[in-house]
Amino acid sequence: MKDTTTSSLDLLWGTGERPSRGPKPGLTLDRIVRAAVALADAEGLDAVSMRRVSAELGVGTMSLYRYVPGKTELLDLMLDRVQGESLEGEPLEAGEPEPPVSWRDTVEGLARGHLALYRAHPWLLKVNEARSLLGPNTLRSFELCLAGLTGPRGMGLSDQETVSVIVTVQGFVAGIARMELQAVEAAKETGVSDEDFWAAQAPFLERAMATGRFPAVAGLAEDTFSREVDQFAFGLARLMDGFETLVSRRGKDVSGGEGAASRR
């Protein structure tokens, strides 16, 4: 399989050769990537192809190949573009990072920003990002996050622990976003609403509860699965509680408190 890493990085960082002849006036790499993202947002990642994007732009497919070698590189550019949205979901502005904020604000901003990102671009959940390339937007977003977690009001953790915090938060958010997306897709694919789906199961569940074999389930309150419960907010708060415990423990270790004494 062809390794497209170098060609993608050249495009991301602007180090590759630029087309010198032939493209339609007004066609730019930025326009191509924007069109591809818009197409993925509207119809899903499967709809994105060099041919389809060229049609959206009103140009011949070969015009795109003067800017982007193929779909793999195009996807890398799309990922960096959307990852360049700030922790609150707005495009990052050029210039120096914002003044340091508390690690709590950083963690919450990271979580809410990623949730907004997945909601705006559901196709991100279909992408294997195990080897995401660090383009300029992605790297800057990472920089802003690290600055908040390691700065004057940071967590005081090791570098490995700090990155693990980011990975943990991103994993939690992806799980919540995937659950939301799957609920929408299930309703769309089956034509059956969530209400009708669970209503159809009610008679079977009632008979199962009457057997007495599921006392813990039968004992659940009627509002247990209420839509008013904010699973995201609850989970994020519990993550923050756990991080707070770790930060407090590290603080004691540094100051020679109980944690340090226990290691002697």
Side-chain angles (χ1 to χ4, degrees):
M1 181 178 294
K2 179 183 178 182
D3 184 5
T4 61
T5 301
T6 300
S7 56
S8 289
L9 288 171
D10 280 336
L11 290 168
L12 286 167
W13 290 98
T15 57
E17 294 183 5
R18 297 185 179 280
S20 57
R21 59 186 179 83
K24 180 178 179 179
L27 185 62
T28 64
L29 185 60
D30 183 68
R31 278 194 64 201
I32 293 170
V33 178
R34 285 180 181 275
V37 170
L39 181 57
D41 290 346
E43 301 183 30
L45 196 59
D46 290 341
V48 179
S49 67
M50 299 294 279
R51 183 182 299 276
R52 181 64 190 280
V53 173
S54 65
E56 293 292 316
L57 292 169
V59 301
T61 304
M62 291 308 298
S63 295
L64 262 64
Y65 283 107
R66 296 181 182 277
Y67 290 85
V68 187
K71 183 177 177 179
T72 300
E73 291 88 349
L74 179 59
L75 179 58
D76 288 334
L77 293 169
M78 292 166 62
L79 290 172
D80 189 66
R81 168 168 288 283
V82 298
Q83 292 292 346
E85 296 174 8
S86 75
L87 302 181
E88 296 297 334
E90 297 296 331
L92 287 170
E93 299 293 339
E96 294 302 316
E98 294 293 322
V101 296
S102 72
W103 69 263
R104 282 182 165 278
D105 289 338
T106 299
V107 170
E108 182 166 359
L110 172 66
R112 294 191 180 281
H114 268 73
L115 185 61
L117 198 65
Y118 285 128
R119 286 172 173 172
H121 312 289
W123 52 270
L124 283 172
L125 292 166
K126 309 288 187 179
V127 179
N128 183 343
E129 295 190 67
R131 292 185 175 183
S132 296
L133 297 182
L134 295 178
N137 289 325
T138 305
L139 196 57
R140 176 167 169 75
S141 181
F142 185 37
E143 169 68 21
L144 289 172
C145 189
L146 283 178
L149 296 179
T150 63
R153 302 176 64 191
M155 304 181 82
L157 305 179
S158 70
D159 291 345
Q160 289 182 339
E161 290 171 332
T162 300
V163 171
S164 292
V165 167
I166 296 173
V167 171
T168 298
V169 173
Q170 290 178 333
F172 161 70
V173 175
I176 292 292
R178 185 170 288 106
M179 182 174 63
E180 291 182 354
L181 176 62
Q182 289 175 342
V184 172
E185 289 182 337
K188 184 182 300 184
E189 292 171 0
T190 64
V192 178
S193 68
D194 281 351
E195 290 77 7
D196 290 342
F197 173 78
W198 291 110
Q201 297 191 67
F204 298 90
L205 292 174
E206 289 173 0
R207 287 196 292 271
M209 296 305 103
T211 66
R213 294 169 55 195
F214 311 97
V217 178
L220 291 174
E222 291 185 2
D223 63 348
T224 297
F225 299 101
S226 170
R227 290 180 177 275
E228 295 181 3
V229 176
D230 189 338
Q231 302 290 354
F232 170 78
F234 177 85
L236 179 58
R238 303 295 76 76
L239 282 179
M240 298 279 269
D241 290 343
F243 293 149
E244 180 65 53
T245 298
L246 178 61
V247 169
S248 177
R249 184 184 305 153
R250 286 292 181 272
K252 289 181 179 180
D253 291 348
V254 172
S255 62
E258 296 177 3
S262 66
R263 294 199 303 272
R264 292 193 182 104

